[in-house]
């Protein structure tokens, strides 16, 4: 795996490889690692929800993330206490990219 970009949040990280795949690791108590859980991740793990998209841009917030695909799709996940993930459904966190 060849990594072309790394982003750091408060206590979590995202990495983007040259094939457009995204990996995450770190504290995950708000779902910011995007694996559908709130369990911490000790080593980089592929975000399975994004594996069918070619991601071209990643950005970490303090406890949330944003990814953009080559096709122009936008994905957000992580803490949503103040609607950071733009869900309008009163969820406190979003544990999978949508």
């Amino acid at each position: 795996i060849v990594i072309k970009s790394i982003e750091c949040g408060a206590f979590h990280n995202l990495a983007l490889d040259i094939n457009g795949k995204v990996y995450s690791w770190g504290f995950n108590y708000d779902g910011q690692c995007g694996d559908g859980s709130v369990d911490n991740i000790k080593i980089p793990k592929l975000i399975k929800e994004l594996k069918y998209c070619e991601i071209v841009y990643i950005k970490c917030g303090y406890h949330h993330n944003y990814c953009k695909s080559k096709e122009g799709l936008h994905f957000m996940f992580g803490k949503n206490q103040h609607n950071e993930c733009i869900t309008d459904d009163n969820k406190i966190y979003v544990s999978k990219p949508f």
Side-chain angles (χ1 to χ4, degrees):
I1 299 170
V2 178
I3 300 299
K4 72 175 187 175
S5 177
I6 294 179
E7 282 285 321
C8 301
F11 303 102
H12 73 286
N13 307 284
L14 293 181
L16 178 64
D17 76 13
I18 61 171
N19 296 311
K21 302 303 173 212
V22 181
Y23 302 82
S24 64
W25 68 100
F27 287 140
N28 193 28
Y29 45 85
D30 290 312
Q32 60 265 51
C33 289
D35 70 334
S37 79
V38 290
D39 299 326
N40 295 335
I41 299 174
K42 295 181 181 180
I43 60 172
K45 179 178 179 181
L46 176 68
I47 299 178
K48 292 179 183 178
E49 296 290 325
L50 299 175
K51 72 179 180 181
Y52 297 111
C53 296
E54 183 179 344
I55 301 298
V56 295
Y57 180 79
I58 57 173
K59 190 71 177 173
C60 286
Y62 198 73
H63 293 291
H64 60 284
N65 304 295
Y66 168 77
C67 300
K68 181 180 178 184
S69 75
K70 184 177 180 179
E71 301 80 20
L73 300 173
H74 305 270
F75 301 93
M76 299 191 74
F77 50 99
K79 190 170 188 174
N80 194 44
Q81 185 176 7
H82 302 290
N83 205 30
E84 297 94 321
C85 295
I86 315 171
T87 62
D88 289 329
D89 60 6
N90 297 321
K91 287 185 179 178
I92 294 174
Y93 65 85
V94 178
S95 63
K96 288 185 178 182
F98 72 100

